[in-house]
Amino acid sequence: MTTTSSNCAPVDGGAAMAANPTFEFVRSLAAELSSGRVELPSFPDVVVRVRRALGDESTTVDQLVRIVGSEPALAARLLKMANSAALNRTGKAVTDLRTAINRMGYNMVRSAAISFAMAQIRKGSKLKAIEEDLKRLWEEATHVAALSYVIAKKQSRINPDEAMLVGLLHGIGKLYILTRAEGHPELFASRETLLEVLRDWHAGIGRAILENWEFPEEMVEAIQQHEDGERDHEGPADLTDVLTVSVVMSSYVSRPDDLELRFQDVTAFRHLGLDADHCRDMLTASADEIAQLRQALGA
């Protein structure tokens, strides 16, 4: 699916803004996304093929096994996830890809592929200058993914595997900006400028990427809207609510008492039936599961 520039393109602010190198950088990102050119440095070709295969309803398990099996490191990661304590409730070891894929489901296969891709990106020699930023981004992604899985399972009817995947991808816009900004050091001599671009543009860029990758609309919406604390809707809690709460809880996990400050501002907590005490209890009760899930993802 080719995206339109309306999702992430900056509004033309005249000659003064056009002369601003940071504005030009953001506009170049929007142009790339609008044209459908969504390529991340060091993003393995096998992961692109897995993503495309999973986006095709006619893809069979045999075809997926052949694609995953063509990259031993990806196959090993998928088997490791399938046999992790968090995901292998039976305790029976899985030794072949077909059984692993059938056990895990396609969303978990996507998560395994994304975690493998992130590991490869972090190893990319061209990205050494932003290695620490990438490390922090991945640590946050795995924590939010694990929290999303647990919250979806315990507090909603949302598919936990889908929640984990959207948690893993919630910062994909930041990743895209960082990998592009690395090639323009003169634009981001100021750390504050880079952080401002990340803050203002990552959600729209993340939406454009997931649209380009033809992800379901509810996942695309969650990526774009999860930072809107006042977002409200009718009916039961949805995927965006789960992601919103997961991101907030991830930020405050080291100081859970501060969660009290966010409940009046973030409606997603109400949709999920959560208060501060419930959140603290959940974090304590699920600590081992969250750690196991993060380990399975390669944190």
Side-chain angles (χ1 to χ4, degrees), residues 50-60 63 106 110 214:
V50 167
R51 176 175 57 78
R52 289 174 179 166
L54 291 173
D56 184 348
E57 294 182 357
S58 66
T59 297
T60 65
Q63 290 172 318
Y106 282 2
R110 284 188 179 94
E214 299 185 347

Side-chain angles (χ1 to χ4, degrees), residues 95-125:
T95 58
D96 66 284
L97 286 174
R98 174 188 290 277
T99 303
I101 290 170
N102 281 327
R103 172 183 285 183
M104 294 171 69
Y106 282 2
N107 278 326
M108 279 295 182
V109 172
R110 284 188 179 94
S111 293
I114 293 296
S115 67
F116 170 75
M118 284 295 297
Q120 300 307 303
I121 289 173
R122 286 170 54 195
K123 293 175 183 177
S125 59

Side-chain angles (χ1 to χ4, degrees), residues 59-82:
T59 297
T60 65
V61 172
D62 284 338
Q63 290 172 318
L64 197 54
V65 167
R66 285 196 293 272
I67 294 171
V68 173
S70 69
E71 173 49 71
L74 173 59
R77 180 171 291 259
L78 195 150
L79 286 169
K80 182 179 178 181
M81 282 187 66

Side-chain angles (χ1 to χ4, degrees), residues 219-234:
M219 296 184 72
V220 173
E221 182 177 302
I223 293 295
Q224 184 177 34
Q225 298 187 12
H226 72 272
E227 292 181 327
D228 181 4
E230 296 180 355
R231 173 183 175 272
D232 209 351
H233 62 87
E234 298 293 331

Side-chain angles (χ1 to χ4, degrees), residues 136-145 170 174 247 250 294:
R136 281 192 294 270
L137 188 62
W138 183 237
E139 288 175 351
E140 179 190 358
T142 57
H143 195 201
V144 171
H170 83 282
K174 291 181 180 179
V247 170
S250 177
R294 296 188 71 192

